[in-house]
Amino acid sequence: MRQEGAVVMVKWDGERTAPGDSGPYTVLVSGARLAGELLRADTHSLEEALARVLFEYTVRFWLTGGD
């Protein structure tokens, strides 16, 4: 992903502590291939957030060869 110009950001949000919130972990992916879009996952598990954005990136660009 980095070699394709992707930027990955990880956020730990200490203010998200309520039982019904989206979780303290956010992973964002941006870059030229996304053409201004962001891939984003907000979860209670860092591993899940990473897995979600990696899966979406894989489906969009590596499995389909899409641009």
Side-chain angles (χ1 to χ4, degrees):
M1 290 172 64
R2 182 188 57 81
Q3 292 173 334
E4 296 172 357
V7 176
V8 179
M9 295 173 274
V10 177
K11 176 184 169 190
W12 284 268
D13 192 333
E15 294 181 351
R16 289 192 208 155
T17 57
D21 69 16
S22 60
Y25 301 103
T26 300
V27 175
L28 297 165
V29 178
S30 65
R33 288 190 90 178
L34 290 163
E37 287 186 67
L38 289 175
L39 301 181
R40 179 182 177 138
D42 297 292
T43 67
H44 290 277
S45 159
L46 179 57
E47 293 84 358
E48 182 181 349
L50 286 166
R52 285 184 185 187
V53 296
L54 289 171
F55 178 79
E56 181 63 28
Y57 193 92
T58 298
V59 168
R60 285 189 187 198
F61 302 113
W62 296 337
L63 293 179
T64 64
D67 284 322

